[in-house]
């Protein structure tokens, strides 16, 4: 063990604060610098659409599986989008096996709320025959390696996977009341909005840390996730407890988040381009 490792082990708070006093973090980043983002689509061959996303060492995979379902009585002209996030012990010792934990359930609800608030998909586009047949898209997100900020990584993975989806053509024979699904997947989804989130750990009233690592999260007193549309407008704000955020601070976080939207969407778009 080096001297720094011993110090970190026995005095983690002082070790971390020493870096912040120099306006940087143990990983070398400045306080408001984000980690590099890597997106690869089509990484799960058995899914209708998929993506693998890396935020630094945090790695998540999203696979979208499409199944034929019956529309509900209240919404006979709509299909379904069902996100589900899994955080297993293999990605971090902070998680346990068995039933989904609180953070996994919060993440699933977060993605569902963002997809709905931003209007990413028109659910009517997923309906093939009203009251009879519609598509149900299961967006399964699995964290492979957890090093903080799984909110942003999971949302980017879902958005990239949805833009990678190709559905088979479903035809309906009304006379025989029979549906037929084509073997080839050729129909892309019509994406109406492309929201991107930016997460910040709140260390104090004056110190915010962008794109927190697991160490940043453990030292902070709560996180704030700002979701922004392509035009820079606020789409959704996620603040699960912790330190209160002053209005002026929130305004500055919104500006930082708005600057990232086009950059991340460009990375997603390039990941989905055909390579000759």
């Amino acid at each position: 063990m080096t001297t720094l490792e011993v110090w970190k082990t026995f005095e983690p708070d002082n070790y971390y604060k020493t870096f912040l006093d120099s306006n940087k973090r143990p990983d070398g980043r400045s306080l408001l610098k984000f980690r590099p983002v890597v997106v690869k689509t089509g990484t799960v061959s058995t899914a209708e659409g998929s993506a693998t996303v890396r935020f630094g060492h945090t790695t998540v995979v999203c696979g979208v599986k499409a199944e034929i379902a019956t529309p509900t009585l209240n919404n006979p002209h709509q299909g379904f989008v069902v996100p589900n996030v899994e955080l297993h012990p293999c990605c971090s010792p902070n998680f346990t096996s068995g039933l989904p934990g609180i953070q996994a359930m919060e993440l699933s609800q977060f993605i569902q709320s963002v997809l709905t608030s931003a209007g990413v998909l028109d659910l009517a586009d997923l309906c093939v025959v009203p009251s009879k047949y519609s598509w149900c898209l299961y967006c399964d997100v699995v964290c492979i390696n957890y090093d903080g900020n799984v909110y942003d990584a999971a949302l980017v993975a879902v958005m990239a996977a949805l833009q990678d989806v190709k559905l088979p053509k479903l035809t309906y024979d009304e006379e025989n009341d029979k549906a037929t699904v084509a073997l080839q997947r050729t129909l892309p989804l019509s994406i109406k909005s492309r929201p991107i989130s930016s997460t910040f750990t709140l260390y104090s009233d004056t110190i915010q840390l962008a794109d927190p690592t697991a160490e940043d999260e453990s030292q902070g007193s709560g996180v704030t996730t700002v979701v922004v549309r392509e035009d820079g407008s606020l789409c959704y704000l996620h603040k699960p407890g912790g330190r209160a955020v002053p209005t002026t601070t929130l305004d500055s976080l919104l500006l930082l988040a708005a600057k990232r939207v086009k950059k991340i969407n460009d990375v997603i778009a390039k990941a989905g381009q055909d390579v000759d």
Side-chain angles (χ1 to χ4, degrees):
M1 241 187 210
T2 65
T3 303
L4 279 178
E5 289 173 337
V6 172
W7 184 20
K8 180 179 179 180
T9 300
F10 290 98
E11 294 185 330
D13 294 343
N14 288 334
Y15 169 85
Y16 192 82
K17 187 176 183 300
T18 300
F19 284 93
L20 296 187
D21 289 342
S22 300
N23 290 318
K24 63 180 181 179
R25 291 182 262 182
D27 64 2
R29 287 184 293 154
S30 60
L31 305 186
L32 295 177
K33 184 176 178 60
F34 292 83
R35 292 174 290 184
V37 177
V38 178
V39 180
K40 293 184 179 180
T41 55
T43 52
V44 182
S45 60
T46 55
E48 273 68 44
S50 60
T52 299
V53 172
R54 290 186 60 189
F55 274 53
H57 295 301
T58 293
T59 307
V60 299
V61 177
C62 177
V64 179
K65 199 64 184 170
E67 294 184 2
I68 299 174
T70 303
T72 64
L73 292 176
N74 291 334
N75 299 292
H77 297 272
Q78 294 184 359
F80 310 89
V81 179
V82 183
N84 179 62
V85 179
E86 297 181 8
L87 301 171
H88 297 298
C90 64
C91 74
S92 170
N94 294 331
F95 307 118
T96 58
S97 57
L99 295 174
I102 293 177
Q103 187 171 357
M105 290 188 288
E106 286 182 348
L107 270 165
S108 298
Q109 184 57 53
F110 165 76
I111 293 174
Q112 182 71 74
S113 298
V114 172
L115 296 179
T116 302
S117 299
V120 171
L121 293 172
D122 184 347
L123 296 182
D125 291 343
L126 300 178
C127 183
V128 182
V129 181
S131 301
K132 281 186 173 291
Y133 300 109
S134 66
W135 289 110
C136 180
L137 304 181
Y138 293 97
C139 304
D140 294 320
V141 180
V142 179
C143 184
I144 304 300
N145 189 63
Y146 183 90
D147 186 25
N149 195 13
V150 74
Y151 280 90
D152 293 359
L155 181 59
V156 170
V158 170
M159 291 302 303
L162 287 174
Q163 292 173 59
D164 184 56
V165 166
K166 296 290 190 300
L167 295 176
K169 185 177 181 180
L170 190 154
T171 56
Y172 175 64
D173 184 348
E174 188 174 359
E175 183 177 347
N176 296 313
D177 191 24
K178 182 180 178 180
T180 304
V181 180
L183 295 177
Q184 300 296 321
R185 301 195 295 253
T186 59
L187 305 176
L189 297 176
S190 177
I191 306 296
K192 309 297 184 184
S193 178
R194 292 173 170 79
I196 296 297
S197 63
S198 295
T199 296
F200 304 86
T201 282
L202 309 175
Y203 184 80
S204 68
D205 288 340
T206 58
I207 298 178
Q208 298 84 40
L209 309 173
D211 184 17
T213 62
E215 183 178 17
D216 294 334
E217 290 177 348
S218 68
Q219 289 292 327
S221 56
V223 299
T224 296
T225 300
V226 182
V227 186
V228 179
R229 300 181 182 89
E230 297 107 311
D231 63 0
S233 62
L234 179 64
C235 168
Y236 188 78
L237 181 66
H238 182 69
K239 179 70 175 69
R243 182 185 294 272
V245 184
T247 303
T248 53
T249 299
L250 189 58
D251 289 341
S252 64
L253 298 185
L254 178 57
L255 289 174
L256 287 170
K259 292 178 180 179
R260 297 186 71 232
V261 177
K262 185 180 185 303
K263 179 180 179 180
I264 301 301
N265 275 324
D266 286 346
V267 172
I268 295 174
K270 290 178 181 178
Q273 289 177 354
D274 294 330
V275 178
D276 296 331

